[in-house]
Amino acid sequence: MLPSFPKRADEPQVPGGLDPYRAPEHAHDPDGLLAWFQEPFPASPCARNVVDPAWMGPGEYAYHKSDGRCWCTRDHTRMFRMNYMGRLWIAPELLLWSTSGNFLPALVTSSPAGTPAAQAGVVGQPGTSILFGNDWMPGTFRPGGRITVGYWLDPTQHDGFDAQYFQLADATSTGTFGNQGGTVLLARPYVDAVTGGQASVLLPPPNTLPANPALLARSITATQDTSLQGFDLIFRRSLCCDLDHRRWLVGGYRFLQLNDNVWVNDASTISTGAPGGYPQTSILSTDGFAAKTQFQGGEFGWIEKWWWQRVGFQLLGKMALGASIYDNDIAGSTVTSVSASPGAAPTTTPTAGGVLAQPTNIGGYGGTSFAAVGEFGATLDWALWSQCRVSVGYTFLWWSQVARAAGQIDGSVNPSQFPPGPLAGPAAPAYNLRTNDFWAQGRNLGLEYQF
């Protein structure tokens, strides 16, 4: 016996003992269902809420059983939807997530004007202030988006496929610092690989500048930037088929990509002639560290969902096993432009190497390691009508092995290779792949529509 539900006082009554609220036995056949709707009942088809669970998913079925259902909506029945397109569903979501932070070494320091050159900007010396770095850089909350498209292999939503893509907005931390008219001395700190002691670069290389040049202007900008995106494709297999409950075993493919960058740009203008006069030398020194990690692997897990009237609650747990693929790039350069007189065309000389990026570590580096990705999610939704639900939820995503840009910075530098070099002594800085785990978590606000 197929279920029928009590009529509300405001619902139309059908004379003759006919029950428009329960589909007959032959309604399991789409042609039979169509014939039933075309029978000459006194009531309009709008009065016939079909609640046959053989032709709807558990969310719609629970909605039809609710006291707050809307009885006069054509979308309440699959009669008015195509047999196959009616199995398609889509769920866009707004995300507000944070990601794990990382430790950034000291990149920019300062000292008061007049500090001896041997001490100015050197970490640990009196008067030295660290302007950027030497601190934990948190992964702040930021917006993002996620969209899921699914297709059920049967109208009762036992088995199906899901494809999902998400992306977070970039998390960026930037600091720009000037010499403030000569009241402070800006510096780039490092560890001297020859002596093992702390040191700093007060003026950008090259080492070929004459002694005691006059600094006219200096500006240093340091930036860290992180972005995250991912995709997965899963197949759902129902393990539990109660009318108001589903338990799905899921399996498929997962992809993640984390891009992490650290850049330091140091621009100076120096007078190498009469104080403040010509010739003048402009120097742009750049250090860049870019780390891209991709995960690819097979995914398995479970999804469980319960419905009660217009409310649904879902729990999700998935694990993916595969490989983290690393693509790290280190770039450094120094460009000097010498102007002999006002208006004269400058003579430009590019040289490899900045401060922390030198010929000993500049280049592109790859690698692969075994990795795992886990995901947990909880979602609460409410039916606006039988096919449309709004939801709020929480997601936690964990990744066992990633490369962060800050982790690829070697703070030990052999200053002999500052432009124009050449290297004399230990080959430092050096490249060594450093990895750590990574997580992303936050709240989701979504809308689901079943066609």
Side-chain angles (χ1 to χ4, degrees), residues 97 146 164 166 230-234 252-256 294-300 316 318-323 373-376 395-398:
W97 286 12
R146 179 167 63 186
Q164 183 182 94
F166 80 91
F231 168 82
D232 65 351
L233 175 66
I234 62 171
Y253 165 79
R254 161 144 273 181
F255 170 85
L256 290 173
Q294 291 183 343
F295 173 86
Q296 297 193 52
E299 185 174 49
F300 61 93
L316 174 150
K318 295 189 291 184
M319 176 66 72
L321 301 176
V373 173
E375 180 181 353
F376 168 80
T395 299
F396 180 84
L397 187 69
W398 172 80

PDB file of all heavy atoms in Angstrom, residues 97 146 164 166 230-234 252-256 294-300 316 318-323 373-376 395-398:
ATOM      1  N   TRP A  97      36.408  30.670   4.803  1.00  0.00           N
ATOM      2  CA  TRP A  97      37.370  29.714   5.324  1.00  0.00           C
ATOM      3  C   TRP A  97      38.661  30.416   5.729  1.00  0.00           C
ATOM      4  O   TRP A  97      39.011  31.474   5.221  1.00  0.00           O
ATOM      5  CB  TRP A  97      37.723  28.674   4.263  1.00  0.00           C
ATOM      6  CG  TRP A  97      36.669  27.652   3.990  1.00  0.00           C
ATOM      7  CD1 TRP A  97      35.365  27.672   4.413  1.00  0.00           C
ATOM      8  CD2 TRP A  97      36.817  26.466   3.208  1.00  0.00           C
ATOM      9  NE1 TRP A  97      34.699  26.575   3.942  1.00  0.00           N
ATOM     10  CE2 TRP A  97      35.565  25.811   3.207  1.00  0.00           C
ATOM     11  CE3 TRP A  97      37.864  25.899   2.513  1.00  0.00           C
ATOM     12  CZ2 TRP A  97      35.359  24.600   2.526  1.00  0.00           C
ATOM     13  CZ3 TRP A  97      37.668  24.704   1.835  1.00  0.00           C
ATOM     14  CH2 TRP A  97      36.425  24.057   1.852  1.00  0.00           C
ATOM     15  N   ARG A 146      32.111  27.463  -3.872  1.00  0.00           N
ATOM     16  CA  ARG A 146      32.122  26.035  -4.185  1.00  0.00           C
ATOM     17  C   ARG A 146      30.831  25.715  -4.935  1.00  0.00           C
ATOM     18  O   ARG A 146      29.763  26.203  -4.584  1.00  0.00           O
ATOM     19  CB  ARG A 146      32.226  25.206  -2.910  1.00  0.00           C
ATOM     20  CG  ARG A 146      32.212  23.693  -3.139  1.00  0.00           C
ATOM     21  CD  ARG A 146      32.633  22.939  -1.882  1.00  0.00           C
ATOM     22  NE  ARG A 146      31.731  23.141  -0.769  1.00  0.00           N
ATOM     23  CZ  ARG A 146      31.956  22.669   0.468  1.00  0.00           C
ATOM     24  NH1 ARG A 146      33.077  21.998   0.716  1.00  0.00           N
ATOM     25  NH2 ARG A 146      31.091  22.890   1.426  1.00  0.00           N
ATOM     26  N   GLN A 164      32.564  18.365  -7.989  1.00  0.00           N
ATOM     27  CA  GLN A 164      32.622  19.539  -7.116  1.00  0.00           C
ATOM     28  C   GLN A 164      33.909  20.311  -7.364  1.00  0.00           C
ATOM     29  O   GLN A 164      34.987  19.720  -7.527  1.00  0.00           O
ATOM     30  CB  GLN A 164      32.562  19.105  -5.655  1.00  0.00           C
ATOM     31  CG  GLN A 164      32.548  20.239  -4.657  1.00  0.00           C
ATOM     32  CD  GLN A 164      32.525  19.706  -3.231  1.00  0.00           C
ATOM     33  OE1 GLN A 164      33.545  19.546  -2.594  1.00  0.00           O
ATOM     34  NE2 GLN A 164      31.316  19.401  -2.739  1.00  0.00           N
ATOM     35  N   PHE A 166      35.994  24.005  -5.890  1.00  0.00           N
ATOM     36  CA  PHE A 166      35.997  25.142  -4.971  1.00  0.00           C
ATOM     37  C   PHE A 166      37.266  25.953  -5.157  1.00  0.00           C
ATOM     38  O   PHE A 166      38.293  25.456  -5.621  1.00  0.00           O
ATOM     39  CB  PHE A 166      35.872  24.684  -3.511  1.00  0.00           C
ATOM     40  CG  PHE A 166      37.166  24.190  -2.906  1.00  0.00           C
ATOM     41  CD1 PHE A 166      38.016  25.060  -2.238  1.00  0.00           C
ATOM     42  CD2 PHE A 166      37.538  22.858  -3.007  1.00  0.00           C
ATOM     43  CE1 PHE A 166      39.207  24.619  -1.686  1.00  0.00           C
ATOM     44  CE2 PHE A 166      38.720  22.403  -2.459  1.00  0.00           C
ATOM     45  CZ  PHE A 166      39.571  23.286  -1.797  1.00  0.00           C
ATOM     46  N   GLY A 230      40.399  23.327  -5.523  1.00  0.00           N
ATOM     47  CA  GLY A 230      40.319  21.876  -5.556  1.00  0.00           C
ATOM     48  C   GLY A 230      39.124  21.391  -6.362  1.00  0.00           C
ATOM     49  O   GLY A 230      38.164  22.124  -6.615  1.00  0.00           O
ATOM     50  N   PHE A 231      39.204  20.126  -6.746  1.00  0.00           N
ATOM     51  CA  PHE A 231      38.151  19.474  -7.525  1.00  0.00           C
ATOM     52  C   PHE A 231      38.085  18.014  -7.102  1.00  0.00           C
ATOM     53  O   PHE A 231      39.110  17.392  -6.804  1.00  0.00           O
ATOM     54  CB  PHE A 231      38.469  19.578  -9.027  1.00  0.00           C
ATOM     55  CG  PHE A 231      37.607  18.706  -9.898  1.00  0.00           C
ATOM     56  CD1 PHE A 231      36.344  19.128 -10.282  1.00  0.00           C
ATOM     57  CD2 PHE A 231      38.048  17.460 -10.320  1.00  0.00           C
ATOM     58  CE1 PHE A 231      35.534  18.332 -11.074  1.00  0.00           C
ATOM     59  CE2 PHE A 231      37.255  16.650 -11.121  1.00  0.00           C
ATOM     60  CZ  PHE A 231      35.990  17.093 -11.498  1.00  0.00           C
ATOM     61  N   ASP A 232      36.866  17.469  -7.048  1.00  0.00           N
ATOM     62  CA  ASP A 232      36.745  16.022  -6.889  1.00  0.00           C
ATOM     63  C   ASP A 232      35.518  15.506  -7.640  1.00  0.00           C
ATOM     64  O   ASP A 232      34.553  16.239  -7.883  1.00  0.00           O
ATOM     65  CB  ASP A 232      36.749  15.590  -5.421  1.00  0.00           C
ATOM     66  CG  ASP A 232      35.562  16.076  -4.639  1.00  0.00           C
ATOM     67  OD1 ASP A 232      34.781  16.904  -5.144  1.00  0.00           O
ATOM     68  OD2 ASP A 232      35.399  15.633  -3.512  1.00  0.00           O
ATOM     69  N   LEU A 233      35.604  14.238  -8.000  1.00  0.00           N
ATOM     70  CA  LEU A 233      34.543  13.546  -8.721  1.00  0.00           C
ATOM     71  C   LEU A 233      34.313  12.219  -8.015  1.00  0.00           C
ATOM     72  O   LEU A 233      35.241  11.421  -7.877  1.00  0.00           O
ATOM     73  CB  LEU A 233      34.943  13.313 -10.185  1.00  0.00           C
ATOM     74  CG  LEU A 233      33.971  12.493 -11.043  1.00  0.00           C
ATOM     75  CD1 LEU A 233      32.665  13.251 -11.226  1.00  0.00           C
ATOM     76  CD2 LEU A 233      34.607  12.185 -12.397  1.00  0.00           C
ATOM     77  N   ILE A 234      33.079  11.995  -7.547  1.00  0.00           N
ATOM     78  CA  ILE A 234      32.801  10.788  -6.776  1.00  0.00           C
ATOM     79  C   ILE A 234      31.559  10.078  -7.307  1.00  0.00           C
ATOM     80  O   ILE A 234      30.685  10.686  -7.931  1.00  0.00           O
ATOM     81  CB  ILE A 234      32.604  11.106  -5.277  1.00  0.00           C
ATOM     82  CG1 ILE A 234      31.396  12.029  -5.065  1.00  0.00           C
ATOM     83  CG2 ILE A 234      33.857  11.680  -4.656  1.00  0.00           C
ATOM     84  CD1 ILE A 234      31.022  12.215  -3.603  1.00  0.00           C
ATOM     85  N   GLY A 252      36.126   7.934  -5.624  1.00  0.00           N
ATOM     86  CA  GLY A 252      36.397   8.666  -6.859  1.00  0.00           C
ATOM     87  C   GLY A 252      37.788   9.254  -6.885  1.00  0.00           C
ATOM     88  O   GLY A 252      38.754   8.675  -6.386  1.00  0.00           O
ATOM     89  N   TYR A 253      37.908  10.472  -7.429  1.00  0.00           N
ATOM     90  CA  TYR A 253      39.175  11.141  -7.697  1.00  0.00           C
ATOM     91  C   TYR A 253      39.176  12.504  -7.025  1.00  0.00           C
ATOM     92  O   TYR A 253      38.159  13.211  -7.020  1.00  0.00           O
ATOM     93  CB  TYR A 253      39.363  11.311  -9.208  1.00  0.00           C
ATOM     94  CG  TYR A 253      40.445  12.277  -9.611  1.00  0.00           C
ATOM     95  CD1 TYR A 253      41.787  11.902  -9.583  1.00  0.00           C
ATOM     96  CD2 TYR A 253      40.129  13.569 -10.031  1.00  0.00           C
ATOM     97  CE1 TYR A 253      42.786  12.797  -9.963  1.00  0.00           C
ATOM     98  CE2 TYR A 253      41.113  14.462 -10.422  1.00  0.00           C
ATOM     99  CZ  TYR A 253      42.447  14.069 -10.385  1.00  0.00           C
ATOM    100  OH  TYR A 253      43.423  14.959 -10.755  1.00  0.00           O
ATOM    101  N   ARG A 254      40.333  12.890  -6.468  1.00  0.00           N
ATOM    102  CA  ARG A 254      40.452  14.207  -5.826  1.00  0.00           C
ATOM    103  C   ARG A 254      41.696  14.924  -6.326  1.00  0.00           C
ATOM    104  O   ARG A 254      42.758  14.311  -6.520  1.00  0.00           O
ATOM    105  CB  ARG A 254      40.516  14.068  -4.315  1.00  0.00           C
ATOM    106  CG  ARG A 254      41.085  15.274  -3.586  1.00  0.00           C
ATOM    107  CD  ARG A 254      40.410  15.535  -2.255  1.00  0.00           C
ATOM    108  NE  ARG A 254      39.238  16.373  -2.408  1.00  0.00           N
ATOM    109  CZ  ARG A 254      38.476  16.762  -1.381  1.00  0.00           C
ATOM    110  NH1 ARG A 254      38.724  16.334  -0.159  1.00  0.00           N
ATOM    111  NH2 ARG A 254      37.438  17.533  -1.584  1.00  0.00           N
ATOM    112  N   PHE A 255      41.541  16.245  -6.530  1.00  0.00           N
ATOM    113  CA  PHE A 255      42.645  17.124  -6.957  1.00  0.00           C
ATOM    114  C   PHE A 255      42.644  18.358  -6.067  1.00  0.00           C
ATOM    115  O   PHE A 255      41.588  18.947  -5.795  1.00  0.00           O
ATOM    116  CB  PHE A 255      42.456  17.537  -8.420  1.00  0.00           C
ATOM    117  CG  PHE A 255      43.404  18.614  -8.873  1.00  0.00           C
ATOM    118  CD1 PHE A 255      44.666  18.288  -9.323  1.00  0.00           C
ATOM    119  CD2 PHE A 255      43.030  19.952  -8.839  1.00  0.00           C
ATOM    120  CE1 PHE A 255      45.550  19.285  -9.740  1.00  0.00           C
ATOM    121  CE2 PHE A 255      43.898  20.949  -9.250  1.00  0.00           C
ATOM    122  CZ  PHE A 255      45.170  20.615  -9.709  1.00  0.00           C
ATOM    123  N   LEU A 256      43.831  18.770  -5.604  1.00  0.00           N
ATOM    124  CA  LEU A 256      44.001  20.014  -4.854  1.00  0.00           C
ATOM    125  C   LEU A 256      45.225  20.739  -5.390  1.00  0.00           C
ATOM    126  O   LEU A 256      46.186  20.100  -5.851  1.00  0.00           O
ATOM    127  CB  LEU A 256      44.196  19.757  -3.360  1.00  0.00           C
ATOM    128  CG  LEU A 256      43.004  19.255  -2.547  1.00  0.00           C
ATOM    129  CD1 LEU A 256      43.445  18.900  -1.142  1.00  0.00           C
ATOM    130  CD2 LEU A 256      41.891  20.300  -2.508  1.00  0.00           C
ATOM    131  N   GLN A 294      50.527  20.245  -5.917  1.00  0.00           N
ATOM    132  CA  GLN A 294      49.296  19.624  -6.405  1.00  0.00           C
ATOM    133  C   GLN A 294      49.151  18.247  -5.777  1.00  0.00           C
ATOM    134  O   GLN A 294      50.125  17.512  -5.632  1.00  0.00           O
ATOM    135  CB  GLN A 294      49.320  19.486  -7.925  1.00  0.00           C
ATOM    136  CG  GLN A 294      49.245  20.795  -8.678  1.00  0.00           C
ATOM    137  CD  GLN A 294      49.197  20.588 -10.183  1.00  0.00           C
ATOM    138  OE1 GLN A 294      49.530  19.526 -10.687  1.00  0.00           O
ATOM    139  NE2 GLN A 294      48.774  21.610 -10.910  1.00  0.00           N
ATOM    140  N   PHE A 295      47.902  17.935  -5.402  1.00  0.00           N
ATOM    141  CA  PHE A 295      47.594  16.584  -4.938  1.00  0.00           C
ATOM    142  C   PHE A 295      46.703  15.915  -5.964  1.00  0.00           C
ATOM    143  O   PHE A 295      45.722  16.497  -6.437  1.00  0.00           O
ATOM    144  CB  PHE A 295      46.876  16.609  -3.586  1.00  0.00           C
ATOM    145  CG  PHE A 295      46.397  15.244  -3.145  1.00  0.00           C
ATOM    146  CD1 PHE A 295      47.240  14.393  -2.449  1.00  0.00           C
ATOM    147  CD2 PHE A 295      45.121  14.805  -3.454  1.00  0.00           C
ATOM    148  CE1 PHE A 295      46.822  13.124  -2.073  1.00  0.00           C
ATOM    149  CE2 PHE A 295      44.685  13.546  -3.076  1.00  0.00           C
ATOM    150  CZ  PHE A 295      45.537  12.701  -2.384  1.00  0.00           C
ATOM    151  N   GLN A 296      47.012  14.663  -6.268  1.00  0.00           N
ATOM    152  CA  GLN A 296      46.160  13.835  -7.116  1.00  0.00           C
ATOM    153  C   GLN A 296      46.093  12.449  -6.502  1.00  0.00           C
ATOM    154  O   GLN A 296      47.135  11.871  -6.158  1.00  0.00           O
ATOM    155  CB  GLN A 296      46.710  13.756  -8.541  1.00  0.00           C
ATOM    156  CG  GLN A 296      46.752  15.105  -9.245  1.00  0.00           C
ATOM    157  CD  GLN A 296      46.995  14.974 -10.728  1.00  0.00           C
ATOM    158  OE1 GLN A 296      46.303  14.230 -11.416  1.00  0.00           O
ATOM    159  NE2 GLN A 296      47.968  15.717 -11.241  1.00  0.00           N
ATOM    160  N   GLY A 297      44.884  11.941  -6.348  1.00  0.00           N
ATOM    161  CA  GLY A 297      44.755  10.626  -5.744  1.00  0.00           C
ATOM    162  C   GLY A 297      43.340  10.096  -5.777  1.00  0.00           C
ATOM    163  O   GLY A 297      42.396  10.777  -6.186  1.00  0.00           O
ATOM    164  N   GLY A 298      43.203   8.855  -5.331  1.00  0.00           N
ATOM    165  CA  GLY A 298      41.903   8.212  -5.225  1.00  0.00           C
ATOM    166  C   GLY A 298      41.254   8.520  -3.891  1.00  0.00           C
ATOM    167  O   GLY A 298      41.919   8.614  -2.859  1.00  0.00           O
ATOM    168  N   GLU A 299      39.929   8.654  -3.908  1.00  0.00           N
ATOM    169  CA  GLU A 299      39.185   9.094  -2.729  1.00  0.00           C
ATOM    170  C   GLU A 299      38.101   8.083  -2.382  1.00  0.00           C
ATOM    171  O   GLU A 299      37.492   7.479  -3.266  1.00  0.00           O
ATOM    172  CB  GLU A 299      38.569  10.461  -3.018  1.00  0.00           C
ATOM    173  CG  GLU A 299      37.858  11.103  -1.848  1.00  0.00           C
ATOM    174  CD  GLU A 299      37.405  12.517  -2.181  1.00  0.00           C
ATOM    175  OE1 GLU A 299      36.784  12.709  -3.247  1.00  0.00           O
ATOM    176  OE2 GLU A 299      37.671  13.418  -1.381  1.00  0.00           O
ATOM    177  N   PHE A 300      37.873   7.892  -1.105  1.00  0.00           N
ATOM    178  CA  PHE A 300      36.800   7.018  -0.635  1.00  0.00           C
ATOM    179  C   PHE A 300      36.248   7.604   0.662  1.00  0.00           C
ATOM    180  O   PHE A 300      36.893   8.409   1.331  1.00  0.00           O
ATOM    181  CB  PHE A 300      37.314   5.587  -0.411  1.00  0.00           C
ATOM    182  CG  PHE A 300      38.400   5.499   0.626  1.00  0.00           C
ATOM    183  CD1 PHE A 300      38.114   5.243   1.953  1.00  0.00           C
ATOM    184  CD2 PHE A 300      39.730   5.680   0.253  1.00  0.00           C
ATOM    185  CE1 PHE A 300      39.121   5.168   2.895  1.00  0.00           C
ATOM    186  CE2 PHE A 300      40.746   5.603   1.193  1.00  0.00           C
ATOM    187  CZ  PHE A 300      40.442   5.348   2.521  1.00  0.00           C
ATOM    188  N   LEU A 316      29.555  14.071   6.515  1.00  0.00           N
ATOM    189  CA  LEU A 316      30.417  13.621   5.422  1.00  0.00           C
ATOM    190  C   LEU A 316      31.805  13.341   5.958  1.00  0.00           C
ATOM    191  O   LEU A 316      32.354  14.123   6.752  1.00  0.00           O
ATOM    192  CB  LEU A 316      30.457  14.695   4.336  1.00  0.00           C
ATOM    193  CG  LEU A 316      31.391  14.523   3.138  1.00  0.00           C
ATOM    194  CD1 LEU A 316      30.795  15.204   1.903  1.00  0.00           C
ATOM    195  CD2 LEU A 316      32.775  15.123   3.409  1.00  0.00           C
ATOM    196  N   LYS A 318      35.564  11.835   4.213  1.00  0.00           N
ATOM    197  CA  LYS A 318      36.256  11.298   3.049  1.00  0.00           C
ATOM    198  C   LYS A 318      37.761  11.305   3.296  1.00  0.00           C
ATOM    199  O   LYS A 318      38.280  12.158   4.011  1.00  0.00           O
ATOM    200  CB  LYS A 318      35.945  12.113   1.787  1.00  0.00           C
ATOM    201  CG  LYS A 318      34.493  12.058   1.344  1.00  0.00           C
ATOM    202  CD  LYS A 318      34.290  12.692  -0.025  1.00  0.00           C
ATOM    203  CE  LYS A 318      34.496  14.186   0.000  1.00  0.00           C
ATOM    204  NZ  LYS A 318      34.199  14.815  -1.314  1.00  0.00           N
ATOM    205  N   MET A 319      38.446  10.351   2.677  1.00  0.00           N
ATOM    206  CA  MET A 319      39.901  10.274   2.731  1.00  0.00           C
ATOM    207  C   MET A 319      40.418   9.982   1.329  1.00  0.00           C
ATOM    208  O   MET A 319      39.873   9.126   0.629  1.00  0.00           O
ATOM    209  CB  MET A 319      40.345   9.180   3.702  1.00  0.00           C
ATOM    210  CG  MET A 319      41.855   8.956   3.741  1.00  0.00           C
ATOM    211  SD  MET A 319      42.769  10.378   4.420  1.00  0.00           S
ATOM    212  CE  MET A 319      42.311  10.248   6.156  1.00  0.00           C
ATOM    213  N   ALA A 320      41.464  10.702   0.942  1.00  0.00           N
ATOM    214  CA  ALA A 320      42.096  10.485  -0.364  1.00  0.00           C
ATOM    215  C   ALA A 320      43.559  10.139  -0.146  1.00  0.00           C
ATOM    216  O   ALA A 320      44.243  10.749   0.683  1.00  0.00           O
ATOM    217  CB  ALA A 320      41.967  11.727  -1.245  1.00  0.00           C
ATOM    218  N   LEU A 321      44.053   9.164  -0.881  1.00  0.00           N
ATOM    219  CA  LEU A 321      45.453   8.747  -0.834  1.00  0.00           C
ATOM    220  C   LEU A 321      46.047   8.903  -2.220  1.00  0.00           C
ATOM    221  O   LEU A 321      45.444   8.495  -3.217  1.00  0.00           O
ATOM    222  CB  LEU A 321      45.568   7.291  -0.378  1.00  0.00           C
ATOM    223  CG  LEU A 321      44.978   6.956   0.995  1.00  0.00           C
ATOM    224  CD1 LEU A 321      45.087   5.460   1.267  1.00  0.00           C
ATOM    225  CD2 LEU A 321      45.665   7.758   2.092  1.00  0.00           C
ATOM    226  N   GLY A 322      47.231   9.500  -2.279  1.00  0.00           N
ATOM    227  CA  GLY A 322      47.855   9.726  -3.574  1.00  0.00           C
ATOM    228  C   GLY A 322      49.208  10.376  -3.427  1.00  0.00           C
ATOM    229  O   GLY A 322      49.986  10.038  -2.526  1.00  0.00           O
ATOM    230  N   ALA A 323      49.498  11.356  -4.271  1.00  0.00           N
ATOM    231  CA  ALA A 323      50.816  11.985  -4.308  1.00  0.00           C
ATOM    232  C   ALA A 323      50.688  13.495  -4.253  1.00  0.00           C
ATOM    233  O   ALA A 323      49.787  14.080  -4.868  1.00  0.00           O
ATOM    234  CB  ALA A 323      51.560  11.575  -5.578  1.00  0.00           C
ATOM    235  N   VAL A 373      44.812  13.216   2.050  1.00  0.00           N
ATOM    236  CA  VAL A 373      43.901  14.348   2.229  1.00  0.00           C
ATOM    237  C   VAL A 373      42.641  13.837   2.908  1.00  0.00           C
ATOM    238  O   VAL A 373      42.045  12.850   2.455  1.00  0.00           O
ATOM    239  CB  VAL A 373      43.545  15.015   0.893  1.00  0.00           C
ATOM    240  CG1 VAL A 373      42.462  16.074   1.084  1.00  0.00           C
ATOM    241  CG2 VAL A 373      44.777  15.635   0.246  1.00  0.00           C
ATOM    242  N   GLY A 374      42.250  14.474   3.999  1.00  0.00           N
ATOM    243  CA  GLY A 374      41.025  14.105   4.691  1.00  0.00           C
ATOM    244  C   GLY A 374      40.045  15.268   4.712  1.00  0.00           C
ATOM    245  O   GLY A 374      40.439  16.434   4.733  1.00  0.00           O
ATOM    246  N   GLU A 375      38.760  14.936   4.684  1.00  0.00           N
ATOM    247  CA  GLU A 375      37.718  15.967   4.721  1.00  0.00           C
ATOM    248  C   GLU A 375      36.588  15.523   5.627  1.00  0.00           C
ATOM    249  O   GLU A 375      36.144  14.373   5.580  1.00  0.00           O
ATOM    250  CB  GLU A 375      37.170  16.245   3.325  1.00  0.00           C
ATOM    251  CG  GLU A 375      36.076  17.324   3.296  1.00  0.00           C
ATOM    252  CD  GLU A 375      35.514  17.573   1.914  1.00  0.00           C
ATOM    253  OE1 GLU A 375      36.049  17.022   0.939  1.00  0.00           O
ATOM    254  OE2 GLU A 375      34.515  18.330   1.814  1.00  0.00           O
ATOM    255  N   PHE A 376      36.126  16.450   6.469  1.00  0.00           N
ATOM    256  CA  PHE A 376      34.953  16.238   7.307  1.00  0.00           C
ATOM    257  C   PHE A 376      33.993  17.397   7.080  1.00  0.00           C
ATOM    258  O   PHE A 376      34.410  18.554   6.972  1.00  0.00           O
ATOM    259  CB  PHE A 376      35.326  16.157   8.781  1.00  0.00           C
ATOM    260  CG  PHE A 376      34.133  16.220   9.691  1.00  0.00           C
ATOM    261  CD1 PHE A 376      33.353  15.093   9.908  1.00  0.00           C
ATOM    262  CD2 PHE A 376      33.763  17.411  10.308  1.00  0.00           C
ATOM    263  CE1 PHE A 376      32.235  15.147  10.732  1.00  0.00           C
ATOM    264  CE2 PHE A 376      32.655  17.473  11.136  1.00  0.00           C
ATOM    265  CZ  PHE A 376      31.893  16.342  11.355  1.00  0.00           C
ATOM    266  N   THR A 395      33.105  22.806   7.128  1.00  0.00           N
ATOM    267  CA  THR A 395      34.014  21.899   6.433  1.00  0.00           C
ATOM    268  C   THR A 395      35.409  22.018   7.024  1.00  0.00           C
ATOM    269  O   THR A 395      35.885  23.138   7.291  1.00  0.00           O
ATOM    270  CB  THR A 395      34.075  22.212   4.930  1.00  0.00           C
ATOM    271  OG1 THR A 395      32.784  22.049   4.348  1.00  0.00           O
ATOM    272  CG2 THR A 395      35.060  21.286   4.213  1.00  0.00           C
ATOM    273  N   PHE A 396      36.044  20.875   7.229  1.00  0.00           N
ATOM    274  CA  PHE A 396      37.460  20.844   7.633  1.00  0.00           C
ATOM    275  C   PHE A 396      38.208  19.977   6.638  1.00  0.00           C
ATOM    276  O   PHE A 396      37.829  18.833   6.378  1.00  0.00           O
ATOM    277  CB  PHE A 396      37.626  20.273   9.044  1.00  0.00           C
ATOM    278  CG  PHE A 396      39.072  20.219   9.495  1.00  0.00           C
ATOM    279  CD1 PHE A 396      39.662  21.338  10.043  1.00  0.00           C
ATOM    280  CD2 PHE A 396      39.823  19.058   9.361  1.00  0.00           C
ATOM    281  CE1 PHE A 396      40.993  21.311  10.445  1.00  0.00           C
ATOM    282  CE2 PHE A 396      41.142  19.009   9.756  1.00  0.00           C
ATOM    283  CZ  PHE A 396      41.728  20.148  10.311  1.00  0.00           C
ATOM    284  N   LEU A 397      39.283  20.527   6.063  1.00  0.00           N
ATOM    285  CA  LEU A 397      40.088  19.846   5.051  1.00  0.00           C
ATOM    286  C   LEU A 397      41.531  19.804   5.534  1.00  0.00           C
ATOM    287  O   LEU A 397      42.094  20.830   5.928  1.00  0.00           O
ATOM    288  CB  LEU A 397      39.999  20.602   3.723  1.00  0.00           C
ATOM    289  CG  LEU A 397      40.632  19.976   2.487  1.00  0.00           C
ATOM    290  CD1 LEU A 397      39.859  18.730   2.067  1.00  0.00           C
ATOM    291  CD2 LEU A 397      40.647  20.992   1.340  1.00  0.00           C
ATOM    292  N   TRP A 398      42.141  18.604   5.500  1.00  0.00           N
ATOM    293  CA  TRP A 398      43.527  18.432   5.964  1.00  0.00           C
ATOM    294  C   TRP A 398      44.343  17.775   4.868  1.00  0.00           C
ATOM    295  O   TRP A 398      43.886  16.835   4.213  1.00  0.00           O
ATOM    296  CB  TRP A 398      43.543  17.583   7.230  1.00  0.00           C
ATOM    297  CG  TRP A 398      44.920  17.188   7.683  1.00  0.00           C
ATOM    298  CD1 TRP A 398      45.810  17.964   8.379  1.00  0.00           C
ATOM    299  CD2 TRP A 398      45.567  15.926   7.485  1.00  0.00           C
ATOM    300  NE1 TRP A 398      46.972  17.267   8.613  1.00  0.00           N
ATOM    301  CE2 TRP A 398      46.850  16.004   8.077  1.00  0.00           C
ATOM    302  CE3 TRP A 398      45.181  14.744   6.854  1.00  0.00           C
ATOM    303  CZ2 TRP A 398      47.751  14.940   8.065  1.00  0.00           C
ATOM    304  CZ3 TRP A 398      46.074  13.674   6.829  1.00  0.00           C
ATOM    305  CH2 TRP A 398      47.339  13.790   7.433  1.00  0.00           C
TER     306      TRP A 398
END
